[in-house]
Amino acid sequence: MEGNENEEKKEEKEEAKPMEVEETKADEAEKEETKAEEAEKEEKEEEEEKEEEEEPEVDLMSIDVFGVEDVFDIGGKPAKGIFAEFQFEDWATMSLRAELSMLVHAFKKDIKDPERTGIHEDNIAFYYQKYFRKALSPQFFGLKGLKEVIALVSDTVAISDKKILHTCLPDTLEALNVYVLLTEEARRDRMRRIDLGEEGAKIQMQTGLSGGMQTSPGVAALLQAQREKQAAAAAAGTVAKPATIPATTGVRPAVPTGVRPVMTPVAARPVGSFGPGAGGWRPVAPQPWAARPQMTPTWGAARPGFAGLAGGSIRPAWRG
């Protein structure tokens, strides 16, 4: 019996060995597959990186502005927009183009008068304020008059021979990209003229703002000088005195803030004190619906009757 048991155990051990060998082979095959997949991923990532490095940068000046379909993507990695080189003056003139063009179309729809075909040049600032709730300031663009502002965006709006503001854009646009494209074309033309040394090509924007209002150049220069003094004083270890802004600049002085004084309480007046100068409660006035005293009739002498009645009649005399 013992010999049979030993033989069975040997057979079980022999059967278990090939199973363990098969399991280890499967694990090794899986590891090899994962290594191959990781190697393929690494190769793909390397190829993508090479493609990105080999892709040349997009030359913005070589692109046809009005041939761009998507203003947010003109190529390159990361994607570059057609407005990639816009400065503050470009965004401001783009807004001005859109606002003046929409102003012309909105005025025609609101007026509906065949005799008034557009806005007269003398009323442009008025209607701009009325529609957009902000002033059209030529000084903001570094210009002197409204005609110069209109000439700044002459590719969108202009003043006719009859001194009427009109636009070359239709009232229905499929997309508003045209304002971006017009601004980019104007920016390129302005940069070419600046490179040629043309005076007046650069837009002298007044970017110094204080509380949403435009600050005069004199104040901006004064504040800049004060900042430079403070920086120099900080470097030298001294304290610079604050600059005094002249009153003609229109900037309001800062309002001093602090703790308000405590108000002393006023004593209450006595209730029920009356008399001249006494501010007490008034006595209760008799109400009109109060009970009236009962009237007791007393019969007196005969009173003459009413006119038209024969003879006299006796009427009681009422006493209170």
Side-chain angles (χ1 to χ4, degrees):
M1 294 294 290
E2 292 178 358
N4 293 331
E5 290 178 358
N6 293 329
E7 289 178 0
E8 288 177 358
K9 290 180 179 179
K10 288 180 181 179
E11 289 177 358
E12 288 177 359
K13 289 180 180 179
E14 290 176 356
E15 290 177 357
K17 286 179 180 178
M19 290 293 292
E20 291 176 358
V21 172
E22 290 177 359
E23 288 178 358
T24 54
K25 287 181 179 180
D27 293 338
E28 290 176 358
E30 288 179 0
K31 289 179 180 178
E32 289 178 358
E33 288 179 359
T34 53
K35 287 180 180 179
E37 290 177 357
E38 289 177 356
E40 288 179 0
K41 288 181 180 179
E42 290 177 357
E43 289 178 0
K44 288 181 180 179
E45 290 177 356
E46 289 177 0
E47 290 177 358
E48 290 177 357
E49 289 177 358
K50 288 179 180 178
E51 289 177 357
E52 291 178 359
E53 291 176 357
E54 291 175 357
E55 187 174 355
E57 293 184 359
V58 178
D59 185 9
L60 189 62
M61 298 297 291
S62 63
I63 295 176
D64 181 15
V65 174
F66 295 100
V68 175
E69 295 181 357
D70 187 0
V71 296
F72 295 97
D73 187 4
I74 58 174
K77 287 187 180 182
K80 184 185 291 187
I82 192 68
F83 47 81
E85 297 186 5
F86 274 21
Q87 301 299 323
F88 178 76
E89 56 269 18
D90 300 310
W91 293 110
T93 52
M94 186 188 71
S95 300
L96 183 64
R97 285 181 174 88
E99 290 167 352
L100 291 178
S101 179
M102 289 187 287
L103 177 63
V104 173
H105 295 303
F107 182 82
K108 290 180 180 179
K109 288 184 178 180
D110 294 340
I111 296 300
K112 297 179 181 179
D113 188 354
E115 295 181 358
R116 301 179 66 183
T117 57
I119 303 174
H120 194 270
E121 64 176 355
D122 295 337
N123 300 327
I124 294 174
F126 171 78
Y127 285 107
Y128 185 90
Q129 173 76 33
K130 190 174 183 65
Y131 275 86
F132 299 108
R133 299 183 181 275
K134 60 180 180 179
L136 181 59
S137 175
Q139 289 76 20
F140 178 71
F141 297 94
L143 303 174
K144 295 181 179 179
L146 191 59
K147 290 184 179 180
E148 296 179 357
V149 176
I150 301 299
L152 190 64
V153 290
S154 59
D155 52 6
T156 305
V157 292
I159 297 175
S160 64
D161 297 335
K162 296 181 180 180
K163 297 183 179 181
I164 300 297
L165 181 69
H166 67 90
T167 178
C168 59
L169 299 178
D171 55 349
T172 54
L173 292 173
E174 295 181 359
L176 301 178
N177 297 347
V178 63
Y179 298 114
V180 183
L181 301 178
L182 289 170
T183 305
E184 172 60 19
E185 185 67 21
R187 186 194 69 81
R188 293 183 182 184
D189 180 66
R190 186 176 68 254
M191 295 305 296
R192 283 192 292 267
R193 290 188 287 121
I194 291 174
D195 292 340
L196 293 173
E198 182 179 344
E199 296 182 0
K202 188 175 181 181
I203 303 175
Q204 302 290 338
M205 296 292 296
Q206 301 295 330
T207 57
L209 302 177
S210 176
M213 299 298 293
Q214 184 179 347
T215 307
S216 63
V219 177
L222 186 62
L223 294 176
Q224 181 63 26
Q226 175 62 18
R227 293 190 192 99
E228 293 175 358
K229 287 182 180 179
Q230 289 177 353
T238 58
V239 180
K241 294 182 179 180
T244 304
I245 300 175
T248 55
T249 58
V251 179
R252 295 182 178 179
V255 179
T257 58
V259 181
R260 295 183 179 179
V262 180
M263 304 299 294
T264 55
V266 181
R269 295 178 179 178
V271 179
S273 59
F274 302 98
W281 295 95
R282 295 182 180 179
V284 179
Q287 302 295 333
W289 55 80
R292 295 182 180 180
Q294 188 176 0
M295 308 297 292
T296 56
T298 56
W299 300 97
R303 294 185 181 182
F306 295 100
L309 297 177
S313 62
I314 299 174
R315 298 180 64 184
W318 297 93
R319 295 181 183 177

